[in-house]
Amino acid sequence: MDRVIFHVDLDAFYASVEQLDNPALKGRPVIVGARPGTRGVVSACSYEARRYGIHSAMPITQAHRRCPHGVYLIPRMERYVEMSERVMAILADFTPALQQISIDEAFLDLTGTRRLLGAPREVAGRLKARVREETGLALSVGIAANKYLAKIASDSGKPDGLVQVSGEQAADFLDGLPLAKLWGVGEKTLERLAELNITTVHELRSFSEDILCSMMGEAGGRFLYRAARGQDPGIFPAEAKSRSISSEVTFETDRKDEGSIRRALLDLSQQVMARLIRGRWQANTVTLKLRYWDFSNTTVQKTMKHWLTSSDEIYRMAIELLGERWDGSTPVRLVGVGTANVVSADEPRQRELFPDEYDKKRKVEEAVTRLREKMADLPLTRASLLGKRRGGQPPRGPAKDGGASPTP
Ligand SMILES: [Mg+2]
């Protein structure tokens, strides 16, 4: 029996939440990200802003040049996490086999539910309607027999899309897309393929796995061979781990400048901490995941003797781990930050050496999270952590940068 996988992706998520919370912004180009005039990037933008050629990960100064009359907002991460959790709770009503892969995306495994829930397309329609009614947000759904194809399907229908691709349709569906839409095929891969005169999915599919491996390296060749056929190349993790909380982002184009990787890590650290706080969780291990341009992966983690108390702490550890696994020049296509050994904050904290200190720090972090939500503009401590540095030296003076990473 074919599996039935949904990939669900909220449309222009951060910007949509801003338009929802402030109806005066509806229909206007809304750009969420760093403050114009800083070195930061666009985190998310509304579809109105995309008409000006703005997209996530674009330098904010460039976005501002293209659309000076746009509405520029600093991310309110805690509000987005709250809305994300409301959406995920609705999705969980449809199936317990829910795997959240980022703040605004999830996979649902609906295999074998036809008799109970109805045809997949109808289920997707109900799911979209419920999310819109209960949260006001629009999302796109892709339905296919594996995660990879479902992800590409949801992307192809945006915004407010619903695209189902059966196994027989997979090749035709992919042939109708530009090669760059093959998820995971970045700029560098496209260049390399163009050198080999491969410019379409159809052309890519005509090569054997052996030849692709010899041309693109073992991991890259295996990936491309499967991707071109709409088979799952294993780009997404198999199962959600119950006792870990993580967020990751795949860059639209591979990154090799430390600044944008740091900004992504900062954004992810804040997402992870906000989820820990909102869920009343605590954790003592930080994990960093990197996927390089050639699809090879590395994961590294560090465990503390105390519970993590702030996103700064997670960020600092992530930077430390980055130093262990990144040479500063290899292009990176994905970064992930997570926490492992997650337990309920209500459980007794036997491992805590200084419980009073912990409570104090935690309360401060909760206050900072709430404050960030209210003030939106935050040169607090976060921005000062972003500096152009390698090694352990703190940056001199406050860096003016509120940038965040690309996901939604
Ligand atoms: Mg999205």
Side-chain angles (χ1 to χ4, degrees):
M1 180 175 57
D2 265 359
R3 291 174 71 204
V4 179
I5 306 293
F6 283 16
H7 177 260
V8 174
D9 191 348
L10 288 154
D11 299 331
F13 179 47
Y14 296 178
S16 299
V17 173
E18 297 299 343
Q19 289 177 322
L20 195 66
D21 288 352
N22 181 0
L25 300 181
K26 287 219 171 89
R28 296 182 62 188
V30 173
I31 299 98
V32 179
R35 281 187 300 273
T38 66
R39 286 181 296 110
V41 297
V42 174
S43 293
C45 61
S46 67
Y47 284 90
E48 293 83 1
R50 291 177 200 201
R51 283 188 212 120
Y52 294 86
I54 298 174
H55 55 77
S56 60
M58 173 183 275
I60 199 79
T61 46
Q62 196 180 332
H64 195 256
R65 265 202 305 277
R66 284 171 186 250
C67 185
H69 63 283
V71 180
Y72 289 81
L73 300 169
I74 301 290
R76 293 184 300 146
M77 206 52 75
E78 208 211 355
R79 174 66 175 149
Y80 308 149
V81 169
E82 182 193 339
M83 291 302 281
S84 163
E85 284 176 355
R86 283 174 56 192
V87 172
M88 295 301 155
I90 295 169
L91 302 185
D93 273 355
F94 286 81
T95 171
L98 167 74
Q99 182 189 16
Q100 187 178 352
I101 56 164
S102 76
I103 193 166
D104 68 336
E105 284 174 80
F107 288 113
L108 281 70
D109 190 340
L110 288 149
T111 309
T113 62
R114 182 180 278 267
R115 199 175 289 175
L116 187 69
L117 297 177
R121 183 175 272 280
E122 290 160 23
V123 178
R126 291 206 301 276
L127 186 151
K128 280 163 63 80
R130 258 198 75 186
V131 170
R132 190 182 275 282
E133 275 161 31
E134 294 176 31
T135 69
L137 294 170
L139 54 79
S140 296
V141 182
I143 310 172
N146 65 57
K147 289 178 184 174
Y148 183 74
L149 202 51
K151 165 94 184 165
I152 296 175
S154 76
D155 190 53
S156 75
K158 277 183 160 298
D160 204 14
L162 172 41
V163 176
Q164 182 169 16
V165 182
S166 72
E168 307 86 73
Q169 296 165 329
D172 283 345
F173 168 72
L174 292 172
D175 283 352
L177 299 175
L179 192 51
K181 285 280 173 189
L182 220 48
W183 189 257
V185 172
E187 212 170 323
K188 192 150 178 163
T189 309
L190 281 176
E191 275 170 25
R192 182 87 184 90
L193 289 172
E195 281 167 19
L196 301 162
N197 280 323
I198 301 174
T199 56
T200 66
V201 182
H202 192 75
E203 286 161 3
L204 180 62
R205 202 181 305 116
S206 67
F207 287 84
S208 74
E209 189 169 6
D210 284 348
I211 289 178
L212 285 176
C213 285
S214 68
M215 295 188 307
M216 304 295 293
E218 190 76 10
R222 273 201 311 253
F223 171 87
L224 289 169
Y225 181 82
R226 277 164 190 72
R229 284 160 181 75
Q231 296 167 2
D232 205 326
I235 201 167
F236 300 108
E239 284 304 325
K241 292 184 195 90
S242 58
R243 288 271 157 152
S244 70
I245 287 178
S246 61
S247 287
E248 59 185 46
V249 56
T250 301
F251 297 120
E252 285 184 359
T253 55
D254 296 347
R255 295 298 154 82
K256 55 185 173 186
D257 64 298
E258 186 167 4
S260 51
I261 293 174
R262 276 172 174 266
R263 274 189 288 279
L265 292 178
L266 180 62
D267 191 29
L268 295 169
S269 300
Q270 288 177 359
Q271 287 180 26
V272 167
M273 193 65 207
R275 282 168 68 190
L276 283 175
I277 287 175
R278 292 193 50 81
R280 294 194 57 73
W281 299 108
Q282 57 191 1
N284 65 354
T285 300
V286 171
T287 58
L288 173 78
K289 175 177 166 187
L290 295 175
R291 178 171 295 140
Y292 306 106
W293 68 276
D294 65 350
F295 304 97
S296 59
N297 296 302
T298 184
T299 304
V300 60
Q301 65 177 49
K302 185 178 176 185
T303 298
M304 309 295 280
K305 288 204 183 71
H306 60 267
W307 301 115
L308 298 162
T309 52
S310 70
S311 54
D312 288 358
E313 193 178 12
I314 296 175
Y315 173 68
R316 270 189 235 106
M317 286 168 73
I319 292 290
E320 200 182 311
L321 296 171
L322 181 70
E324 285 178 25
R325 294 297 166 95
W326 189 55
D327 57 11
S329 61
T330 304
V332 172
R333 64 171 52 225
L334 172 151
V335 293
V337 172
T339 52
N341 298 332
V342 175
V343 297
S344 166
D346 301 322
E347 274 174 34
R349 293 191 289 268
Q350 303 131 321
R351 307 180 67 151
E352 191 53 45
L353 296 175
F354 306 105
D356 292 347
E357 190 66 10
Y358 168 85
D359 284 340
K360 215 164 79 189
K361 279 191 192 153
R362 175 93 177 196
K363 288 217 172 72
V364 169
E365 182 66 13
E366 285 171 6
V368 169
T369 308
R370 278 195 301 274
L371 190 67
R372 190 187 301 130
E373 157 112 330
K374 285 204 191 89
M375 292 183 47
D377 191 288
L378 54 134
L380 299 176
T381 57
R382 307 300 175 284
S384 67
L385 289 168
L386 287 168
K388 277 214 157 216
R389 66 184 164 116
R390 288 190 58 75
Q393 288 301 105
R396 301 273 170 242
K400 286 203 176 126
D401 214 331
S405 80
T407 302

